[in-house]
Amino acid sequence: MTELDVRDLPPSERHGRIHGAFEELAPGETLTVVNDHDPKPLYHEMAVERPAFDADGYESEREGPSRFVAEFPKAADRDAPGADRARIADLDGEPHADAFPGREPKTIRLSLEAGERVPRHEHPDRTVLFHVLEGAVDVALDGDLHRVEAGEILRFGGESTVEPTAREESVALVVLAPRPAE
């Protein structure tokens, strides 16, 4: 267990020091923070900004007028609670395979043989990220051609018509993120 007493630090340095100490923890360890005020705002900050923070294990106790002690546990598994993981090579389905069926944002592995194409289509109300992992793909957006090679990402609005064609055997990860209502 690591303990960090921040009462003598200037307030502007406290959260940065706490976040740094938390990141150094191994999975399953706990950071004990001693502060001069209720750490509830820090709890909310950690819950939003640190996926490894185990919010369910958080505890705080007032031990005096200017001594609050809080426990910030790091999840035993490196994955955030509720996190999903998929291995691209293990996904089933050709040419499309849904990495996380029923989950948003929709995440598709697209495998294409050289010269193979996906017919022209749209993804209304989505922002699309087209990340080529292997090979090279010509992506026609409203008729304009964009060559996307391994390691590159093309981002576009789903209202555009899209027609990808593999220049060589290729694998891409396509993320279809819902756009917020205006």
Side-chain angles (χ1 to χ4, degrees):
M1 176 172 31
T2 301
E3 183 172 302
L4 181 61
D5 189 336
V6 297
R7 293 177 293 176
D8 293 332
L9 292 175
S12 62
E13 295 179 17
R14 291 180 182 184
H15 284 210
R17 184 79 60 91
I18 292 166
H19 284 280
F22 183 80
E23 289 305 312
E24 291 179 13
L25 295 175
E29 292 185 334
T30 297
L31 175 62
T32 301
V33 176
V34 180
N35 206 342
D36 57 8
H37 63 275
D38 186 354
K40 198 66 168 177
L42 178 62
Y43 161 82
H44 291 294
E45 184 178 305
M46 295 286 284
V48 170
E49 296 180 9
R50 299 289 179 234
F53 172 53
D54 177 8
D56 293 334
Y58 169 82
E59 293 181 15
S60 177
E61 184 178 335
R62 183 178 191 158
E63 294 184 348
S66 62
R67 182 177 168 88
F68 292 79
V69 179
E71 305 287 329
F72 291 88
K74 195 167 195 177
D77 184 3
R78 286 204 170 271
D79 289 335
D84 294 318
R85 181 186 311 224
R87 183 175 306 281
I88 293 188
D90 295 342
L91 297 176
D92 290 328
E94 293 298 331
H96 303 87
D98 195 343
F100 307 107
R103 304 289 302 269
E104 289 288 349
K106 191 161 184 69
T107 308
I108 304 296
R109 189 263 300 129
L110 177 64
S111 296
L112 299 172
E113 297 294 324
E116 187 177 6
R117 74 175 179 84
V118 176
R120 204 165 89 164
H121 62 285
E122 298 175 352
H123 297 284
D125 303 316
R126 301 277 183 161
T127 296
V128 181
L129 300 175
F130 192 95
H131 180 189
V132 176
L133 302 172
E134 301 171 20
V137 179
D138 286 336
V139 180
L141 294 176
D142 294 327
D144 294 328
L145 201 58
H146 301 269
R147 178 183 282 182
V148 186
E149 298 181 350
E152 295 180 326
I153 302 172
L154 182 65
R155 181 180 185 270
F156 56 94
E159 68 280 348
S160 296
T161 59
V162 59
E163 184 177 17
T165 303
R167 296 182 64 77
E168 56 191 76
E169 186 175 330
S170 300
V171 176
L173 189 66
V174 183
V175 178
L176 305 159
R179 282 197 281 188
E182 295 179 29

